[in-house]
Amino acid sequence: MERLICVAIGYLFGLFQTAFIYGKMHGIDIREHGSGNAGTTNTLRVLGTKAGLIVLAGDILKCILAIVICGAIFSSSHPNEIYLLRLYAAAGAILGHNFPFYMNFKGGKGIAATAGLILAFHPAFIPVGVVLFFGTFFTTHYVSLGSLLVYAGLMIQMVVMGQMGFFHTSQAVLNEMYIVTALLTILAYYKHRENIGRLIRGEERKTYLSKKNKQ
């Protein structure tokens, strides 16, 4: 039951579609422009850097809030499972972001929400996530490649830290954490399947924190 509650709380927060709302405030449906994706990268390309950063902050924050609230609710009653429940809250937020029911389940790809997961789940995840994403982005300007590497790093780090005892829980709970993380990773790669194809063909569009995106 606790798992379902955390997923539900996360999903409710994920329904706050920052890109869609910001676009509507500026007279457009972001899903009808650019790549058609209701996320940070498309917003940055269509509406500019300021808009992209606002949407990024909103999508990160909603996942952080879901994790913090679920942690506060269950930290006393389920201390040995608290990391697992935080992970379910984050998964719910990512699902709500990717598949909002009131937008015909057409949302974003969940990367900004995943950044919220990395920031709020455990401090040790932050430096690895930052290095993988920004190192890749500023080197190649491929947001998709950075996002995919972040998920690969998240999966590896989750297992390594789990087996090293960072989460102070049983192996059964750890195994469940690994499964949830693996499913989120598979979902992210599936949502980026077209990007992966373009990366392989050398046709992926680069993204810049400048007016170059308008070209």
Side-chain angles (χ1 to χ4, degrees):
M1 179 60 70
E2 294 81 11
R3 292 162 173 77
L4 292 177
I5 291 173
C6 289
V7 171
I9 290 174
Y11 187 83
L12 288 175
F13 275 98
L15 292 177
F16 186 85
Q17 291 290 317
T18 318
F20 178 75
I21 294 170
Y22 189 92
K24 284 296 184 181
M25 291 172 61
H26 290 77
I28 70 169
D29 184 339
I30 194 66
R31 299 170 300 169
E32 297 174 355
H33 298 268
S35 67
N37 185 59
T40 298
T41 303
N42 194 39
T43 302
L44 188 150
R45 289 171 175 169
V46 174
L47 295 174
T49 302
K50 178 182 177 181
L53 292 176
I54 290 173
V55 169
L56 173 65
D59 288 344
I60 289 175
L61 182 60
K62 65 190 181 187
C63 189
I64 290 177
L65 289 174
I67 292 172
V68 170
I69 288 174
C70 288
I73 293 173
F74 294 110
S75 59
S76 297
S77 59
H78 295 76
N80 295 328
E81 298 178 344
I82 196 60
Y83 282 105
L84 174 63
L85 296 177
R86 289 177 184 173
L87 188 58
Y88 273 113
I94 292 168
L95 291 173
H97 176 79
N98 288 359
F99 307 107
F101 71 89
Y102 66 93
M103 292 168 57
N104 296 320
F105 302 98
K106 184 181 179 183
K109 296 181 180 179
I111 300 304
T114 301
L117 161 60
I118 291 171
L119 290 172
F121 187 75
H122 192 289
F125 281 76
I126 298 174
V128 175
V130 168
V131 170
L132 283 174
F133 181 79
F134 287 104
T136 303
F137 175 72
F138 287 118
T139 301
T140 68
H141 293 286
Y142 291 134
V143 172
S144 57
L145 181 59
S147 302
L148 294 169
L149 290 178
V150 164
Y151 255 106
L154 175 65
M155 182 72 247
I156 294 170
Q157 193 173 6
M158 187 70 74
V159 174
V160 171
M161 288 180 60
Q163 296 308 122
M164 291 178 65
F166 276 80
F167 305 130
H168 309 291
T169 190
S170 67
Q171 188 62 49
V173 171
L174 288 174
N175 291 340
E176 191 172 348
M177 290 172 62
Y178 303 156
I179 291 171
V180 174
T181 306
L183 291 174
L184 290 176
T185 302
I186 291 169
L187 175 62
Y189 275 70
Y190 174 77
K191 294 287 284 186
H192 284 80
R193 60 193 183 281
E194 295 180 358
N195 303 86
I196 293 171
R198 288 194 295 269
L199 284 167
I200 293 172
R201 297 190 301 270
E203 299 172 355
E204 179 70 330
R205 181 178 176 181
K206 295 186 177 183
T207 301
Y208 301 87
L209 297 177
S210 69
K211 294 182 180 179
K212 289 183 179 181
N213 295 305
K214 299 291 186 178
Q215 297 177 355

